[in-house]
Amino acid sequence: MTSFFGSVFWLLVTLGVLVTFHEFGHYCVARRCGVKVLRFSVGFGNAIWKRIGRDGTEYQVAAIPLGGYVKMLDAREGEVDPALREQEFTGKPVWQRIAIVAAGPGFNLIFTIVAFWLMFMLGRPDVAPVVTAAPQSLAASAGIQPGDRILRIDNRTVTTWTDTMDAVANALLGRAPLPLTVRGQDGRTRELVLPLDELPPGQDVGQYLGKLGLKLAPPPAVAATVMPGQPAALAGMRGGDRIVSVNGQPVEDFVAFGKLVQTAAAKSLTLAIGIEREGQPLRLNVTAKWESLEGQPPKWVLGVGAPPVEAATVSYGPLKAMTASLDTTWRNTTQTFGMLGKMLTGEASTRNLSGVIGIAEVANASAGMGLPWFLQFLALVSLSLAILNLLPIPVLDGGHLLYYLVELIKGSPVSEQAMVVGQYIGLALLFTLMGLAFYNDIHRMLLS
């Protein structure tokens, strides 16, 4: 339940911040263009706080914290006082109406750039893309070996696991062969190709990632720390010893070592641990003990700590952070439009759409990882809102912009009847997209 309430809370924070900022864009430009703003509301429904500003605008905080809205003086919604006719929205030149409508997505784009900039300034903690491949997976068949470090993906340099998965996930949408440059543990560089074209069509990225089998390499089987007074220390193990076997069974990595200890200790408490110290092989007899550490469920422990994962924090100064922010914003924009295009042509599955449930889960997870990660999440959602609102669908900002472009071309406004028909079509399209995204979220939850 804690996860549920956390997801709901961070979803409300995300939508409250981003939608309010979107509406603030409409508000600012409307005021600059001389349009009277009747109400600026943070949230929907009944007001829990309100006041009238000196400009006559009613500012309020409403009970339902799912965004906000701006209500302008509009002749389509009722009679307009002749004294206020010059401040009415539809009476403004078409270019001003275009600016007012485009300001919402524009402010979302500005928010994206600023959020990415702050993220790069603060430093996003990450790990290096040192990988391995699951047995019998596509990554294994492509030649990925344990401990390979990914250097480039399709000629794009990557330095973190997040950047690596971002590039791979985007390539999975098109299912085209993906070239990689990797450096093995021997220091040699190799050129590989992930055969993404062998993946079956019609699945979402999560399913493709499972079949691809590319994952972070586990820590090497090295005793990074040996806790005093624990079984391994009492048997003579030291920090830096390389663990090579447990009861004669070879150890590949630290995760495999932990599994072997649990299996072997269940049969006999005394374990023969083969180690390598300064190039010399040694054998230690370690007596495991059943213990709960740091509130975790009890298990067989030896008191050996794993080597830390190689960190790869992304952090820049102000100028480089802005360059990185603009580059990241552009890359994600082109990837989003590319994904939409692939969905329209059937090249990518619509199962990749995600709705409020998916957004809530990611919001909660990213907030738990720290401010830089949450800023990245907010930036990506803000960019998605900007792009979604610019789609030429009536009821969205993009639909209104389409009407105004038609007005510019034909020299007169679109007829009210055509606008009403467009509104119904837009609502149908919007509810279809929302329903599909909600279905995908539920489907993913049932499969997880």
Side-chain angles (χ1 to χ4, degrees), residues 34 42-43 69 77 82 102 110 113 130 132 156 182 195 197 240 249 329 335 339 342 367 371 391 395 398 402 437:
V42 177
Y69 65 91
E77 299 178 3
I110 292 170
I113 294 170
V130 179
T132 188
R156 172 188 163 190
V182 303
D197 53 324
Q249 292 185 271
T329 301
Q335 287 179 356
M339 182 186 74
K342 288 171 183 175
L371 181 58
L391 295 178
V395 311
L402 179 63

Side-chain angles (χ1 to χ4, degrees), residues 347-362:
E347 190 177 350
S349 173
T350 54
R351 292 183 182 181
N352 292 294
L353 287 173
S354 187
V356 291
I357 296 176
I359 293 172
E361 291 176 343
V362 179

Side-chain angles (χ1 to χ4, degrees), residues 238-258:
R238 302 175 189 171
D241 287 347
R242 178 173 291 278
I243 303 166
V244 296
S245 65
V246 175
N247 288 352
Q249 292 185 271
V251 174
E252 295 180 357
D253 52 59
F254 204 90
V255 173
F257 169 63

Side-chain angles (χ1 to χ4, degrees), residues 144-165:
I144 292 290
Q145 299 174 5
D148 279 348
R149 180 186 296 268
I150 298 180
L151 304 176
R152 287 184 294 279
I153 299 180
D154 198 17
N155 291 323
R156 172 188 163 190
T157 299
V158 293
T159 58
T160 67
W161 177 241
T162 300
D163 289 342
T164 298
M165 294 309 295

Side-chain angles (χ1 to χ4, degrees), residues 197-218:
D197 53 324
E198 296 180 13
L199 291 167
Q203 296 184 356
D204 63 39
V205 168
Q207 292 171 303
Y208 287 150
L209 286 171
K211 291 180 171 62
L212 179 60
L214 186 69
K215 54 186 180 179
L216 283 172

Side-chain angles (χ1 to χ4, degrees), residues 90-154:
T90 62
K92 293 296 180 180
V94 66
W95 68 267
Q96 288 190 345
R97 283 178 275 145
I98 289 175
I100 293 168
V101 171
F107 268 52
N108 277 134
L109 183 60
I110 292 170
F111 185 97
T112 297
I113 294 170
V114 172
F116 275 137
W117 179 70
L118 287 173
M119 178 199 76
F120 285 121
M121 286 275 289
L122 292 171
R124 185 191 66 196
D126 212 323
V127 296
V130 179
V131 300
T132 188
Q136 314 300 319
S137 64
L138 283 180
S141 68
I144 292 290
Q145 299 174 5
D148 279 348
R149 180 186 296 268
I150 298 180
L151 304 176
R152 287 184 294 279
I153 299 180
D154 198 17

Side-chain angles (χ1 to χ4, degrees), residues 19 23 41-48 60-70:
V19 177
E23 296 300 329
S41 177
V42 177
F44 298 96
N46 295 327
I48 57 178
Q60 73 172 31
V61 177
I64 304 174
L66 292 175
Y69 65 91
V70 170

Side-chain angles (χ1 to χ4, degrees), residues 256-285:
F257 169 63
K259 292 178 180 177
L260 284 172
V261 166
Q262 298 306 307
T263 303
K267 300 175 182 177
S268 173
L269 294 183
T270 302
L271 309 178
I273 307 294
I275 67 170
E276 200 176 89
R277 180 182 298 162
E278 297 177 354
Q280 298 298 316
L282 297 172
R283 172 176 160 164
L284 305 175
N285 292 320

